[in-house]
Amino acid sequence: MSEWEKNVRKVEPYTPGEQPDFTDMIKLNTNENPYPPSPGVIQALKETAADSLRLYPDPAASELVKALAGYHNVDPDQVFVGVGSDDVLAMSFLAFFNSKKPVLFPDITYSFYDVWAELFRIPYHRPRLDDNFRIRKTDYFQENGGIIFPNPNAPTGLEMDLKEIEEILVHNRDVVVIIDEAYVDFGASSALPLVSRFDNLLIVRTFSKSRCLAGLRIGYAIGSPGLIRYLNDVKYSFNSYTMSRTAIAAGAAAVRDQNYFEDTCAKIIDTREWAKQELRKLGFLFPDSRTNFIFATHPSCPAEQLFSELRKAHIFVRHFPQERIRDYLRITIGTRTQMEALFAFLQTYNRTIRQ
Ligand code: PMP
């Protein structure tokens, strides 16, 4: 190793799901929304005058912050926005997890958390999910330097009861607790009502799933004004202009188009519940998802093999090689037509492996 290399901050990066580019593909691998952004968003994109792009955007992204504050019925100083929730989460790790005690998150969860912890040299401990893939609240009653988990959890899709989240908060008044609600709009309960009672609770959300805007990169956090102030201090020490003019205008339009948002979520929930029945008929087993994906395993077809066969047919799902979950595939809920194509493939495949 050369001298300069010894001082490089070495990290093992997160591996995002692949973004293949086939015209005939069915893309069910990164939990994107299969529906287009709302008509208001398309309009806002057209109206963002190209000429205005020579000017810097509003560093506070006030239009988007105000739209979100109005939607969630909180004050604008309780809202922080960023370049996708990954950006919001990374800044939160940097701002709030600064203790010598370990930050806690589950052994099976969003696999970016340990990457940020390593990057920022934050000690962490990953309590094991129980055998049904549920988070055990008591694991989070031990001493720690902060807590983070998604609710519903990813990639299991399982929701934790709000009462249990409240108990975790009651046991952890001296650290910041982050609930990553990336998937909450698909039928789960939000911990937002607890924000007024716990000034150490931060809720993180994204526009990538329920608001059909993964390509624009918008995420946000809601918490007490104190938490948001600390997040802004980190942001302004890093990059004042994280949100582009386009993202601010289109994001605000997406929030205003509430009917479209509700209809889209309802369609996905409907397709998901139907997909559960179809998977069951084929012998798949899965935790009861409250998200826009299903985490499924089959007693007689190895996940990795099925993943490759699907891939050959240009049907993309996600497989994680991690221990305990390598027999599972995470299948994003697409349109009804896309899911029908998936099930047509699985039916044929099922017959072949039974022969
Ligand atoms: N949290 C969880 C649990 C996720 O699954 C994802 C999507 N990969 C994210 C956060 C980040 O989403 P985005 O950066 O697109 O907002």
PDB file of all heavy atoms in Angstrom, residues 46-69:
ATOM      1  N   LYS A  46     -42.691  21.332 -16.229  1.00  0.00           N
ATOM      2  CA  LYS A  46     -42.748  22.125 -17.470  1.00  0.00           C
ATOM      3  C   LYS A  46     -42.569  23.609 -17.149  1.00  0.00           C
ATOM      4  O   LYS A  46     -41.980  24.352 -17.909  1.00  0.00           O
ATOM      5  CB  LYS A  46     -44.115  21.928 -18.149  1.00  0.00           C
ATOM      6  CG  LYS A  46     -44.207  20.631 -18.907  1.00  0.00           C
ATOM      7  CD  LYS A  46     -45.493  20.628 -19.745  1.00  0.00           C
ATOM      8  CE  LYS A  46     -45.819  19.206 -20.165  1.00  0.00           C
ATOM      9  NZ  LYS A  46     -47.263  18.942 -20.130  1.00  0.00           N
ATOM     10  N   GLU A  47     -43.138  23.995 -15.992  1.00  0.00           N
ATOM     11  CA  GLU A  47     -43.144  25.427 -15.672  1.00  0.00           C
ATOM     12  C   GLU A  47     -41.845  25.928 -15.051  1.00  0.00           C
ATOM     13  O   GLU A  47     -41.627  27.132 -14.984  1.00  0.00           O
ATOM     14  CB  GLU A  47     -44.305  25.737 -14.713  1.00  0.00           C
ATOM     15  CG  GLU A  47     -45.634  25.786 -15.444  1.00  0.00           C
ATOM     16  CD  GLU A  47     -46.815  25.868 -14.492  1.00  0.00           C
ATOM     17  OE1 GLU A  47     -46.588  26.043 -13.274  1.00  0.00           O
ATOM     18  OE2 GLU A  47     -47.949  25.734 -14.977  1.00  0.00           O
ATOM     19  N   THR A  48     -41.009  25.018 -14.557  1.00  0.00           N
ATOM     20  CA  THR A  48     -39.726  25.488 -14.010  1.00  0.00           C
ATOM     21  C   THR A  48     -38.921  26.036 -15.181  1.00  0.00           C
ATOM     22  O   THR A  48     -38.343  25.281 -15.963  1.00  0.00           O
ATOM     23  CB  THR A  48     -38.949  24.337 -13.311  1.00  0.00           C
ATOM     24  OG1 THR A  48     -39.842  23.676 -12.434  1.00  0.00           O
ATOM     25  CG2 THR A  48     -37.770  24.853 -12.533  1.00  0.00           C
ATOM     26  N   ALA A  49     -38.923  27.358 -15.297  1.00  0.00           N
ATOM     27  CA  ALA A  49     -38.299  27.991 -16.463  1.00  0.00           C
ATOM     28  C   ALA A  49     -36.816  27.648 -16.504  1.00  0.00           C
ATOM     29  O   ALA A  49     -36.110  27.782 -15.497  1.00  0.00           O
ATOM     30  CB  ALA A  49     -38.500  29.493 -16.375  1.00  0.00           C
ATOM     31  N   ALA A  50     -36.383  27.181 -17.670  1.00  0.00           N
ATOM     32  CA  ALA A  50     -34.977  26.798 -17.831  1.00  0.00           C
ATOM     33  C   ALA A  50     -34.078  27.972 -17.462  1.00  0.00           C
ATOM     34  O   ALA A  50     -33.019  27.794 -16.858  1.00  0.00           O
ATOM     35  CB  ALA A  50     -34.732  26.334 -19.257  1.00  0.00           C
ATOM     36  N   ASP A  51     -34.559  29.165 -17.755  1.00  0.00           N
ATOM     37  CA  ASP A  51     -33.751  30.361 -17.491  1.00  0.00           C
ATOM     38  C   ASP A  51     -33.444  30.520 -16.000  1.00  0.00           C
ATOM     39  O   ASP A  51     -32.372  30.975 -15.610  1.00  0.00           O
ATOM     40  CB  ASP A  51     -34.494  31.601 -18.026  1.00  0.00           C
ATOM     41  CG  ASP A  51     -33.730  32.867 -17.710  1.00  0.00           C
ATOM     42  OD1 ASP A  51     -32.527  32.917 -18.057  1.00  0.00           O
ATOM     43  OD2 ASP A  51     -34.304  33.782 -17.094  1.00  0.00           O
ATOM     44  N   SER A  52     -34.414  30.102 -15.140  1.00  0.00           N
ATOM     45  CA  SER A  52     -34.228  30.290 -13.697  1.00  0.00           C
ATOM     46  C   SER A  52     -33.077  29.418 -13.167  1.00  0.00           C
ATOM     47  O   SER A  52     -32.574  29.658 -12.070  1.00  0.00           O
ATOM     48  CB  SER A  52     -35.519  29.966 -12.946  1.00  0.00           C
ATOM     49  OG  SER A  52     -35.728  28.572 -12.921  1.00  0.00           O
ATOM     50  N   LEU A  53     -32.673  28.429 -13.955  1.00  0.00           N
ATOM     51  CA  LEU A  53     -31.641  27.502 -13.461  1.00  0.00           C
ATOM     52  C   LEU A  53     -30.256  28.145 -13.385  1.00  0.00           C
ATOM     53  O   LEU A  53     -29.333  27.577 -12.814  1.00  0.00           O
ATOM     54  CB  LEU A  53     -31.589  26.236 -14.329  1.00  0.00           C
ATOM     55  CG  LEU A  53     -32.861  25.386 -14.311  1.00  0.00           C
ATOM     56  CD1 LEU A  53     -32.678  24.120 -15.129  1.00  0.00           C
ATOM     57  CD2 LEU A  53     -33.270  25.012 -12.888  1.00  0.00           C
ATOM     58  N   ARG A  54     -30.101  29.361 -13.939  1.00  0.00           N
ATOM     59  CA  ARG A  54     -28.812  30.031 -13.779  1.00  0.00           C
ATOM     60  C   ARG A  54     -28.669  30.583 -12.353  1.00  0.00           C
ATOM     61  O   ARG A  54     -27.585  30.902 -11.912  1.00  0.00           O
ATOM     62  CB  ARG A  54     -28.640  31.120 -14.840  1.00  0.00           C
ATOM     63  CG  ARG A  54     -29.537  32.279 -14.663  1.00  0.00           C
ATOM     64  CD  ARG A  54     -29.625  33.199 -15.860  1.00  0.00           C
ATOM     65  NE  ARG A  54     -30.678  34.145 -15.591  1.00  0.00           N
ATOM     66  CZ  ARG A  54     -30.547  35.166 -14.760  1.00  0.00           C
ATOM     67  NH1 ARG A  54     -29.409  35.397 -14.164  1.00  0.00           N
ATOM     68  NH2 ARG A  54     -31.568  35.969 -14.519  1.00  0.00           N
ATOM     69  N   LEU A  55     -29.803  30.664 -11.650  1.00  0.00           N
ATOM     70  CA  LEU A  55     -29.773  31.164 -10.263  1.00  0.00           C
ATOM     71  C   LEU A  55     -29.741  29.999  -9.269  1.00  0.00           C
ATOM     72  O   LEU A  55     -30.353  28.957  -9.506  1.00  0.00           O
ATOM     73  CB  LEU A  55     -31.031  32.000  -9.980  1.00  0.00           C
ATOM     74  CG  LEU A  55     -31.241  33.221 -10.863  1.00  0.00           C
ATOM     75  CD1 LEU A  55     -32.616  33.828 -10.598  1.00  0.00           C
ATOM     76  CD2 LEU A  55     -30.139  34.251 -10.619  1.00  0.00           C
ATOM     77  N   TYR A  56     -29.071  30.214  -8.136  1.00  0.00           N
ATOM     78  CA  TYR A  56     -29.095  29.200  -7.080  1.00  0.00           C
ATOM     79  C   TYR A  56     -30.530  29.012  -6.584  1.00  0.00           C
ATOM     80  O   TYR A  56     -31.326  29.958  -6.607  1.00  0.00           O
ATOM     81  CB  TYR A  56     -28.228  29.642  -5.893  1.00  0.00           C
ATOM     82  CG  TYR A  56     -26.759  29.425  -6.098  1.00  0.00           C
ATOM     83  CD1 TYR A  56     -25.893  30.504  -6.261  1.00  0.00           C
ATOM     84  CD2 TYR A  56     -26.227  28.136  -6.121  1.00  0.00           C
ATOM     85  CE1 TYR A  56     -24.535  30.310  -6.443  1.00  0.00           C
ATOM     86  CE2 TYR A  56     -24.875  27.939  -6.302  1.00  0.00           C
ATOM     87  CZ  TYR A  56     -24.025  29.016  -6.462  1.00  0.00           C
ATOM     88  OH  TYR A  56     -22.704  28.814  -6.638  1.00  0.00           O
ATOM     89  N   PRO A  57     -30.839  27.828  -6.086  1.00  0.00           N
ATOM     90  CA  PRO A  57     -32.178  27.632  -5.495  1.00  0.00           C
ATOM     91  C   PRO A  57     -32.248  28.278  -4.112  1.00  0.00           C
ATOM     92  O   PRO A  57     -31.222  28.679  -3.557  1.00  0.00           O
ATOM     93  CB  PRO A  57     -32.281  26.110  -5.384  1.00  0.00           C
ATOM     94  CG  PRO A  57     -30.880  25.626  -5.316  1.00  0.00           C
ATOM     95  CD  PRO A  57     -30.020  26.599  -6.060  1.00  0.00           C
ATOM     96  N   ASP A  58     -33.457  28.333  -3.558  1.00  0.00           N
ATOM     97  CA  ASP A  58     -33.648  28.797  -2.182  1.00  0.00           C
ATOM     98  C   ASP A  58     -32.968  27.782  -1.245  1.00  0.00           C
ATOM     99  O   ASP A  58     -33.379  26.622  -1.196  1.00  0.00           O
ATOM    100  CB  ASP A  58     -35.169  28.869  -1.927  1.00  0.00           C
ATOM    101  CG  ASP A  58     -35.507  29.024  -0.459  1.00  0.00           C
ATOM    102  OD1 ASP A  58     -34.616  29.402   0.329  1.00  0.00           O
ATOM    103  OD2 ASP A  58     -36.684  28.783  -0.106  1.00  0.00           O
ATOM    104  N   PRO A  59     -31.938  28.187  -0.502  1.00  0.00           N
ATOM    105  CA  PRO A  59     -31.216  27.191   0.321  1.00  0.00           C
ATOM    106  C   PRO A  59     -32.114  26.525   1.364  1.00  0.00           C
ATOM    107  O   PRO A  59     -31.876  25.390   1.764  1.00  0.00           O
ATOM    108  CB  PRO A  59     -30.099  28.009   0.987  1.00  0.00           C
ATOM    109  CG  PRO A  59     -30.473  29.438   0.822  1.00  0.00           C
ATOM    110  CD  PRO A  59     -31.361  29.534  -0.377  1.00  0.00           C
ATOM    111  N   ALA A  60     -33.173  27.240   1.790  1.00  0.00           N
ATOM    112  CA  ALA A  60     -34.072  26.665   2.806  1.00  0.00           C
ATOM    113  C   ALA A  60     -35.193  25.847   2.175  1.00  0.00           C
ATOM    114  O   ALA A  60     -35.989  25.244   2.884  1.00  0.00           O
ATOM    115  CB  ALA A  60     -34.662  27.779   3.660  1.00  0.00           C
ATOM    116  N   ALA A  61     -35.264  25.809   0.840  1.00  0.00           N
ATOM    117  CA  ALA A  61     -36.318  25.066   0.122  1.00  0.00           C
ATOM    118  C   ALA A  61     -37.699  25.368   0.714  1.00  0.00           C
ATOM    119  O   ALA A  61     -38.532  24.470   0.907  1.00  0.00           O
ATOM    120  CB  ALA A  61     -36.020  23.562   0.155  1.00  0.00           C
ATOM    121  N   SER A  62     -37.959  26.659   0.976  1.00  0.00           N
ATOM    122  CA  SER A  62     -39.149  27.046   1.763  1.00  0.00           C
ATOM    123  C   SER A  62     -40.471  26.566   1.155  1.00  0.00           C
ATOM    124  O   SER A  62     -41.382  26.182   1.897  1.00  0.00           O
ATOM    125  CB  SER A  62     -39.220  28.561   1.922  1.00  0.00           C
ATOM    126  OG  SER A  62     -38.001  29.009   2.411  1.00  0.00           O
ATOM    127  N   GLU A  63     -40.583  26.611  -0.169  1.00  0.00           N
ATOM    128  CA  GLU A  63     -41.863  26.211  -0.787  1.00  0.00           C
ATOM    129  C   GLU A  63     -42.189  24.752  -0.434  1.00  0.00           C
ATOM    130  O   GLU A  63     -43.319  24.419  -0.052  1.00  0.00           O
ATOM    131  CB  GLU A  63     -41.773  26.387  -2.312  1.00  0.00           C
ATOM    132  CG  GLU A  63     -43.095  26.115  -3.015  1.00  0.00           C
ATOM    133  CD  GLU A  63     -42.964  26.021  -4.538  1.00  0.00           C
ATOM    134  OE1 GLU A  63     -41.867  26.280  -5.069  1.00  0.00           O
ATOM    135  OE2 GLU A  63     -43.975  25.648  -5.170  1.00  0.00           O
ATOM    136  N   LEU A  64     -41.188  23.901  -0.526  1.00  0.00           N
ATOM    137  CA  LEU A  64     -41.380  22.474  -0.225  1.00  0.00           C
ATOM    138  C   LEU A  64     -41.591  22.259   1.277  1.00  0.00           C
ATOM    139  O   LEU A  64     -42.474  21.491   1.697  1.00  0.00           O
ATOM    140  CB  LEU A  64     -40.164  21.689  -0.739  1.00  0.00           C
ATOM    141  CG  LEU A  64     -40.147  20.192  -0.502  1.00  0.00           C
ATOM    142  CD1 LEU A  64     -41.393  19.519  -1.089  1.00  0.00           C
ATOM    143  CD2 LEU A  64     -38.882  19.571  -1.119  1.00  0.00           C
ATOM    144  N   VAL A  65     -40.797  22.948   2.082  1.00  0.00           N
ATOM    145  CA  VAL A  65     -40.920  22.816   3.540  1.00  0.00           C
ATOM    146  C   VAL A  65     -42.326  23.236   3.988  1.00  0.00           C
ATOM    147  O   VAL A  65     -42.978  22.542   4.784  1.00  0.00           O
ATOM    148  CB  VAL A  65     -39.825  23.662   4.247  1.00  0.00           C
ATOM    149  CG1 VAL A  65     -40.138  23.859   5.723  1.00  0.00           C
ATOM    150  CG2 VAL A  65     -38.456  22.999   4.078  1.00  0.00           C
ATOM    151  N   LYS A  66     -42.808  24.367   3.430  1.00  0.00           N
ATOM    152  CA  LYS A  66     -44.144  24.848   3.826  1.00  0.00           C
ATOM    153  C   LYS A  66     -45.232  23.873   3.386  1.00  0.00           C
ATOM    154  O   LYS A  66     -46.187  23.610   4.115  1.00  0.00           O
ATOM    155  CB  LYS A  66     -44.411  26.232   3.218  1.00  0.00           C
ATOM    156  CG  LYS A  66     -43.787  27.331   4.038  1.00  0.00           C
ATOM    157  CD  LYS A  66     -44.302  28.697   3.578  1.00  0.00           C
ATOM    158  CE  LYS A  66     -43.344  29.769   4.074  1.00  0.00           C
ATOM    159  NZ  LYS A  66     -43.025  30.766   3.055  1.00  0.00           N
ATOM    160  N   ALA A  67     -45.094  23.336   2.174  1.00  0.00           N
ATOM    161  CA  ALA A  67     -46.095  22.372   1.689  1.00  0.00           C
ATOM    162  C   ALA A  67     -46.146  21.159   2.624  1.00  0.00           C
ATOM    163  O   ALA A  67     -47.231  20.686   2.997  1.00  0.00           O
ATOM    164  CB  ALA A  67     -45.767  21.947   0.259  1.00  0.00           C
ATOM    165  N   LEU A  68     -44.977  20.675   3.026  1.00  0.00           N
ATOM    166  CA  LEU A  68     -44.932  19.492   3.905  1.00  0.00           C
ATOM    167  C   LEU A  68     -45.461  19.813   5.306  1.00  0.00           C
ATOM    168  O   LEU A  68     -46.171  18.998   5.910  1.00  0.00           O
ATOM    169  CB  LEU A  68     -43.499  18.962   4.001  1.00  0.00           C
ATOM    170  CG  LEU A  68     -43.031  18.192   2.757  1.00  0.00           C
ATOM    171  CD1 LEU A  68     -41.523  17.999   2.758  1.00  0.00           C
ATOM    172  CD2 LEU A  68     -43.737  16.834   2.664  1.00  0.00           C
ATOM    173  N   ALA A  69     -45.120  21.002   5.800  1.00  0.00           N
ATOM    174  CA  ALA A  69     -45.602  21.406   7.134  1.00  0.00           C
ATOM    175  C   ALA A  69     -47.134  21.465   7.113  1.00  0.00           C
ATOM    176  O   ALA A  69     -47.800  20.978   8.034  1.00  0.00           O
ATOM    177  CB  ALA A  69     -45.000  22.748   7.528  1.00  0.00           C
TER     178      ALA A  69
END
